[in-house]
Amino acid sequence: MRYALFILTLILAVILVIAGHRNHPFGSALPPLGKLLDPFGGFWQNAEPASAPKSQVIDLPGIKEKVEVVFDERLVPHIFAANHYDACYAQGYITAKYRLWQMDFITRAAAGRLSEVVGEKTLERDRLQRRKGMTLAAERTLKAWSDNSEEMPFIEAYTAGVNDYIASLKPADYPLEFKLLDYAPEPWSTFKTALAAKSMAETLCFRNDDLQSTNVLRMLGDSLYNDLFPDYPPGQTPVIPADTPWPFTPVTPHQTAPAPPPYGDLIRFALPNPPPFIGSNNWAVAGKKTTTGHPILCNDPHLGLSLPSIWYEIHMNTSECNVYGVSFPGTPGILIGFNDYIAWGETNVSHDVLDWYTLTWVDEAKTEYLLDGKPRKVEYRIEEIKVKGRQAPLLDTIKFTAWGPVVYPDPASPYHDMAMHWLSVDMPENQDFHEVGVFHRLMCGHNYEDYYQALSGLSSPAQNFVFASSQGDIAMTVNGKFPIKADQQGRFLQQGDQSANGWQGFIPYEQIPRVKNPAQGYVASANQHSVAPDYPYYYNGGFDMYRGRLINRLLSENKKFSPSDMMAMQNNTYSIQAEEGLPALMSALDTSSLTPIQKDMWNDLRGWNFYFDKNKKTPAVFYRWLTRSYKDTFDEWYTSPDSNYLDYPDMWRFVALLKDSPTHTLFDQAATGKREQARDIVTQAFQAISAELADVYHDDAFDWRSEKAVRIGHLAGIDAFSQLNVDIGGHSDAINAVKKSFGPSWRMVVSLGPEVKAWGVYPGGQSGNPGSPYYDSMVGQWAQGNYNELLFVKSADALREHEQFRITFQ
Amino acid sequence: MSFIRTLALTILLGLLLQLVLPWWGIALAGAIAGAIGTRNLLSAFLAGLLGAALLWGGYAAYLNDLNQGLLAEKMGILLKGVGANGMLILTAIVGGIYGGLGALLGCWARRLLRPGKA
């Protein structure tokens, strides 16, 4: 009996130990409490001392010569190395030291390997990543890098640096999220760097709406479709100024526009799309228009606002170059930055480089399909997906055609037999260098010629590369590989049984849109159309209507710009959408019987200056009114059971309809007996939003900031590690394009000349550890529109006043 | 005195074992302290509990102080809003339970194996 009781207690103790050791013990929602709370190995070890760490000397057998890394007050590393190889080695080590979990998470998400550590919850997401061809794309990219490319040594050095850091870790040192999700870091690899590159491509050039457009074309017919979705919006100011000549003979596409295949019904199928106009601003102003007499270059890429931040700020000084900017964790080098001679930055081009094709199967088992009248066998690729909690991995067989993968596997859908051709999955061409090499060449570039040569290596994601040099040149290149298409090709679903429906080669590098030192004295891009309609190649895509026009308007003013003018411009919240949209709404509104609250709103709107300031109420009223009117007008879309599978007209087109065609049949609502016009829709929308806001409109707490509630979310969605309700204004179509969870992810202003000076800020901090004071240390500054002067020095000694501590690698 | 001795042993062994063993080293420290310390089961349990709670809670409080409470605050939100101080108390309690159970079992095992000296 005495023994029985003892054994029972022992069993209880063992159960408790197991419960304390496992994540979600016995099906509960609990984390591994014993392991996590243990102050010797659990989360307390990630509670970093607020005081500066001590300097360290670390032996790394892989480096060639001694490297000094000085950390300044903001924890920005300044790497001083004898050569580029060692600098990349140190960059790998340091980036892993501060961002290891982020690197692991981004590449897992790209490769469809989240379920390994999360479980069933992410399985469908993982499957989709594989079916889109992400792992194949990364394999092909790595193959291209490995075949004699000049960047491979740098990628290998970076990988070795990351792995040296991982090898130095004890479980107690693992980043917090590894402990919370209860898994261990695995070694880095060059393949993971390829995955990081593909994850960037996915964010920036996966967006496609071929199927949604095909559906809307069926729904509306040609004439109304073309009216609502014109190729080129009137009044746009393209990335390359409209008067730029095209002094070349274009390669003519051999075929005219293919008709969409004869589908009578809607295609009820849509992949999750990256958000539209995920974008950015950049511009460069020539010395004749600046107070310094030398060019000033600015860039603010808008991406998902996240913690840890997407960017890691870094300064690399080697015998080959002295360069400063932001890097993407997982990738060696600097993606947006400057050196003593040049500065560069990017915005997204957003051309459509992803097309869908129908398939004509030969046999019932769907192992062969027709291409140009001949049967072709599909190729199979088997993806193995490990799932936490499952004994055996899931094996997913993906069929590949000449076009690409047959993405959608569910045979229950009549529309699953379609193949996807996405530029980023294509085998890269045999070149001396690829995407990583592009940036290494820019990092060490001296002049326009170096920039021109460097950009030739990039295929996707295509970017508008702005450029300025201390010699006085400014330039803009719409850069990347662009498929040659017949007019309208790739807008809609295409028939996959004719190879002629494929891309007809690529626009030669010399013929892609670019401009150098235009007479206007500046260049600018903001995800708008690349060129005026006279450019001799057809392209389609999703383009911003407002930011580019505002930047052009401001920069064309007859004045000289200072760096602080440029900072103010990056934080400008003025909206042309409001400037054009509000008068259109107001003139359509029936003001004969306004209630007191509606009168207040009306008067406030009349006095509004179109700035989306955080502490104003009018931006919230305007935006609700505009979007409500839009939805009520396109009620045919929103009330359709297939609303998820449709393409929606751009907002500028709606505003133009209000202004120019207030009696258009689109304003008629099907559900009512009445024949509505713009006036009815707009008035009814105003009544609806004034009813919604009646109780809060006069509250001090109600303003644009509270309406928008900007969130900088933790990558794994943990609220406790996020910044919620950030104190900031701005709007998606203002230059300061802060949306709910997207926005300027790095603001940079570089003043070139004999002495290069630069300023920057991003919505996060240098450390990826939620337990570090540097996790989100710049968020407040970013929201306020303040900048840090970047410590762009030539030697470690020059940092003496700013040095917190240093790491010496030897 | 043997209560104090068991308590001190739990802390000392815990400190040593946790340098080399995972978190459950604290339970083992309690077990050894219980086996060579007091012969009274209740006193062993309480000594192990208090010793382990002091060790985990004390070390966590030290780390928390250096960190100025930054992470404990966030973890407190994550774990159902227990708060920063709640995280310290929870840490002490969880450590205490494992140390106390360990000490109880250690003491008990010795009494079963060598009943004559009970």
Side-chain angles (χ1 to χ4, degrees):
Chain A
M1 187 58 209
R2 288 160 59 207
Y3 283 95
L5 200 59
F6 172 76
I7 286 168
L8 221 62
T9 315
L10 187 63
I11 290 170
L12 171 75
V14 171
I15 290 174
L16 275 179
V17 168
I18 293 172
H21 196 69
R22 285 177 134 185
N23 207 5
H24 308 307
F26 313 114
S28 73
L30 286 174
L33 272 184
K35 203 155 80 170
L36 191 64
L37 292 172
D38 166 21
F40 294 87
F43 87 86
W44 292 105
Q45 286 290 321
N46 302 88
E48 277 179 23
S51 57
K54 291 197 178 64
S55 292
Q56 282 177 282
V57 177
I58 297 172
D59 285 314
L60 296 181
I63 61 163
K64 293 175 178 163
E65 289 177 65
K66 188 167 128 177
V67 181
E68 294 277 5
V69 185
V70 178
F71 289 83
D72 68 22
E73 302 97 333
R74 289 191 295 117
L75 212 67
V76 176
H78 300 261
I79 298 177
F80 295 91
N83 58 70
H84 217 67
Y85 179 90
D86 285 345
C88 289
Y89 206 113
Q91 184 187 16
Y93 191 99
I94 299 292
T95 309
K97 184 173 162 68
Y98 291 101
R99 300 292 185 89
L100 181 60
W101 177 76
Q102 174 184 16
M103 292 163 69
D104 179 88
F105 185 81
I106 290 171
T107 46
R108 265 181 200 285
R113 284 187 56 207
L114 285 176
S115 307
E116 255 174 64
V117 296
V118 175
E120 301 283 339
K121 211 161 73 179
T122 50
L123 182 55
E124 276 313 305
R125 193 194 173 282
D126 281 351
R127 267 189 89 195
L128 193 55
Q129 289 303 102
R130 315 281 183 122
R131 302 197 70 94
K132 275 150 69 170
M134 288 291 285
T135 46
L136 175 66
E139 282 167 19
R140 286 175 167 173
T141 295
L142 181 59
K143 169 93 178 49
W145 288 351
S146 309
D147 295 346
N148 311 315
S149 85
E150 65 185 36
E151 65 252 64
M152 201 56 190
F154 305 136
I155 298 168
E156 281 166 351
Y158 185 89
T159 300
V162 176
N163 283 332
D164 282 353
Y165 175 71
I166 294 174
S168 77
L169 295 179
K170 300 184 299 291
D173 309 322
Y174 291 168
L176 182 58
E177 290 89 343
F178 284 105
K179 295 179 185 178
L180 283 172
L181 292 166
D182 199 24
Y183 72 109
E186 62 182 22
W188 192 255
S189 62
T190 49
F191 178 64
K192 285 179 186 262
T193 294
L195 280 169
K198 288 297 146 183
S199 124
M200 205 47 133
E202 185 189 14
T203 305
L204 296 173
C205 73
F206 184 80
R207 191 173 165 79
N208 65 92
D209 42 28
D210 306 31
L211 306 181
Q212 294 89 330
S213 299
T214 309
N215 286 338
V216 175
L217 180 65
R218 301 251 175 276
M219 187 170 106
L220 302 178
D222 283 0
S223 140
L224 187 53
Y225 182 87
N226 290 329
D227 183 23
L228 281 183
F229 298 88
D231 278 330
Y232 193 85
Q236 183 53 275
T237 52
V239 173
I240 303 301
D243 54 3
T244 307
W246 309 115
F248 54 78
T249 314
V251 182
T252 333
H254 56 70
Q255 185 225 351
T256 48
Y263 265 93
D265 200 358
L266 293 184
I267 302 155
R268 290 182 185 84
F269 159 62
L271 281 174
N273 244 342
F277 315 135
I278 184 163
S280 316
N281 309 311
N282 65 22
W283 61 85
V285 183
K288 65 180 179 186
K289 278 179 76 78
T290 66
T291 55
T292 62
H294 299 282
I296 299 178
L297 178 140
C298 307
N299 189 194
D300 55 301
H302 312 156
L303 292 164
L305 298 173
S306 68
L307 289 168
S309 283
I310 189 158
W311 300 115
Y312 183 65
E313 200 177 324
I314 194 165
H315 175 199
M316 298 167 85
N317 182 304
T318 71
S319 58
E320 292 153 64
C321 50
N322 184 30
V323 56
Y324 194 115
V326 285
S327 61
F328 180 51
T331 307
I334 287 172
L335 268 55
I336 297 172
F338 57 95
N339 60 30
D340 292 313
Y341 311 96
I342 69 165
W344 76 95
E346 297 98 57
T347 68
N348 201 28
V349 165
S350 41
H351 284 195
D352 174 16
V353 291
L354 191 157
D355 288 342
W356 287 94
Y357 294 90
T358 58
L359 295 172
T360 312
W361 294 108
V362 174
D363 53 335
E364 241 177 87
K366 298 177 180 172
T367 61
E368 292 183 73
Y369 59 99
L370 278 186
L371 192 65
D372 298 329
K374 294 193 193 93
R376 291 270 286 257
K377 280 192 166 41
V378 294
E379 283 171 31
Y380 298 96
R381 182 180 162 91
I382 298 171
E383 291 280 352
E384 183 186 293
I385 309 175
K386 293 186 185 127
V387 186
K388 191 177 173 184
R390 281 199 194 184
Q391 293 291 331
L394 178 96
L395 298 178
D396 197 14
T397 306
I398 306 170
K399 288 176 183 167
F400 273 80
T401 66
W403 304 109
V406 182
V407 180
Y408 199 55
D410 182 4
S413 162
Y415 305 109
H416 66 290
D417 289 327
M418 283 188 274
M420 181 185 89
H421 184 196
W422 178 28
L423 177 65
S424 299
V425 181
D426 285 357
M427 183 70 210
E429 273 172 44
N430 192 9
Q431 302 171 163
D432 293 342
F433 61 101
H434 302 270
E435 49 272 73
V436 178
V438 168
F439 292 102
H440 279 84
R441 284 180 170 228
L442 286 170
M443 286 161 67
C444 296
H446 281 59
N447 50 41
Y448 179 82
E449 190 51 34
D450 292 342
Y451 158 85
Y452 184 92
Q453 291 300 333
L455 296 195
S456 68
L458 189 92
S459 59
S460 82
Q463 299 291 296
N464 299 305
F465 275 82
V466 68
F467 167 88
S469 75
S470 288
Q471 291 174 346
D473 289 328
I474 58 167
M476 179 73 78
T477 310
V478 180
N479 189 57
K481 268 175 84 176
F482 300 110
I484 296 178
K485 299 175 175 183
D487 186 34
Q488 305 299 309
Q489 185 181 352
R491 257 186 118 175
F492 309 103
L493 181 60
Q494 295 170 84
Q495 282 184 275
D497 58 358
Q498 295 154 39
S499 53
N501 282 339
W503 298 337
Q504 305 168 36
F506 294 94
I507 300 176
Y509 181 61
E510 321 69 70
Q511 300 186 0
I512 62 174
R514 59 167 66 84
V515 64
K516 182 187 173 192
N517 297 328
Q520 63 186 22
Y522 67 88
V523 290
S525 81
N527 318 110
Q528 76 271 43
H529 260 279
S530 304
V531 286
D534 68 340
Y535 182 65
Y537 292 101
Y538 172 77
Y539 66 93
N540 68 310
F543 302 103
D544 188 84
M545 181 58 180
Y546 297 111
R547 281 182 284 115
R549 288 163 65 205
L550 183 58
I551 294 168
N552 273 289
R553 184 193 290 180
L554 295 175
L555 290 179
S556 63
E557 279 172 32
N558 187 18
K559 66 172 274 195
K560 289 187 188 291
F561 294 91
S562 68
S564 53
D565 291 335
M566 304 277 88
M567 294 176 209
M569 215 171 120
Q570 284 184 333
N571 287 279
N572 187 325
T573 61
Y574 187 87
S575 160
I576 293 186
Q577 182 185 74
E579 175 192 291
E580 294 174 349
L582 186 60
L585 287 171
M586 291 184 99
S587 63
L589 180 69
D590 175 0
T591 53
S592 57
S593 53
L594 293 182
T595 64
I597 182 113
Q598 288 170 352
K599 265 191 198 129
D600 289 350
M601 288 181 178
W602 166 257
N603 284 327
D604 290 348
L605 285 169
R606 276 212 305 205
W608 186 33
N609 58 4
F610 310 125
Y611 283 87
F612 277 73
D613 292 336
K614 61 185 181 185
N615 52 3
K616 279 190 203 145
K617 297 176 194 295
T618 35
V621 177
F622 164 71
Y623 199 58
R624 280 197 190 208
W625 190 14
L626 181 71
T627 46
R628 179 68 187 237
S629 306
Y630 176 96
K631 284 184 182 172
D632 287 352
T633 302
F634 299 116
D635 58 321
E636 296 87 345
W637 277 250
Y638 287 95
T639 56
S640 159
D642 302 307
S643 59
N644 288 336
Y645 312 119
L646 300 175
D647 195 15
Y648 288 75
D650 285 343
M651 189 58 88
W652 70 264
R653 187 69 195 94
F654 169 65
V655 171
L657 275 178
L658 271 184
K659 237 170 74 188
D660 306 332
S661 332
T663 57
H664 201 290
T665 50
L666 278 166
F667 289 112
D668 186 30
Q669 289 190 302
T672 63
K674 209 174 137 203
R675 169 82 165 80
E676 284 92 354
Q677 301 186 349
R679 183 185 176 84
D680 302 292
I681 297 295
V682 163
T683 304
Q684 158 191 321
F686 191 66
Q687 284 161 355
I689 62 137
S690 63
E692 280 166 20
L693 294 174
D695 293 337
V696 295
Y697 189 70
H698 290 297
D699 274 359
D700 286 341
F702 173 73
D703 57 17
W704 179 234
R705 163 186 36 206
S706 65
E707 173 83 355
K708 196 162 58 150
V710 172
R711 171 196 164 92
I712 307 177
H714 179 261
L715 274 181
I718 299 173
D719 273 357
F721 301 161
S722 305
Q723 283 262 354
L724 310 174
N725 302 313
V726 181
D727 182 19
I728 191 168
H731 184 39
S732 55
D733 64 87
I735 298 175
N736 189 8
V738 180
K739 301 195 224 181
K740 193 170 169 55
S741 56
F742 283 83
S745 59
W746 162 242
R747 293 192 190 110
M748 179 180 85
V749 174
V750 185
S751 172
L752 290 126
E755 196 202 353
V756 176
K757 292 184 90 174
W759 299 264
V761 70
Y762 68 87
Q766 286 288 88
S767 173
N769 176 13
S772 160
Y774 296 97
Y775 177 64
D776 49 13
S777 47
M778 287 187 279
V779 171
Q781 213 185 357
W782 170 82
Q784 294 296 314
N786 295 329
Y787 289 71
N788 302 296
E789 182 165 351
L790 308 181
L791 301 171
F792 182 52
V793 296
K794 293 190 165 61
S795 70
D797 288 344
L799 285 168
R800 204 166 297 144
E801 279 171 36
H802 302 281
E803 175 171 342
Q804 272 203 78
F805 67 100
R806 68 172 66 192
I807 298 178
T808 308
F809 296 109
Q810 59 182 33
Chain B
M1 270 320 277
S2 53
F3 174 82
I4 300 287
R5 208 177 64 187
T6 312
L7 185 149
L9 266 175
T10 306
I11 295 179
L12 195 68
L13 286 168
L15 204 57
L16 289 173
L17 287 176
Q18 289 225 256
L19 291 178
V20 288
L21 290 178
W23 69 276
W24 45 260
I26 191 64
L28 192 62
I32 299 170
I36 59 180
T38 178
R39 310 270 316 176
N40 179 300
L41 286 183
L42 179 66
S43 155
F45 176 71
L46 291 177
L49 184 136
L50 194 59
L54 280 174
L55 179 61
W56 275 34
Y59 185 34
Y62 168 75
L63 293 173
N64 185 49
D65 189 53
L66 291 182
N67 181 242
Q68 298 176 353
L70 180 70
L71 184 57
E73 186 75 42
K74 294 179 182 175
M75 290 298 291
I77 297 171
L78 183 61
L79 291 182
K80 313 276 175 227
V82 297
N85 289 331
M87 288 309 292
L88 284 171
I89 294 167
L90 190 64
T91 300
I93 291 174
V94 169
I97 288 172
Y98 288 108
L101 260 179
L104 173 73
L105 286 164
C107 180
W108 201 345
R110 184 169 76 161
R111 286 168 45 143
L112 290 174
L113 291 172
R114 305 177 69 182
K117 295 195 172 180

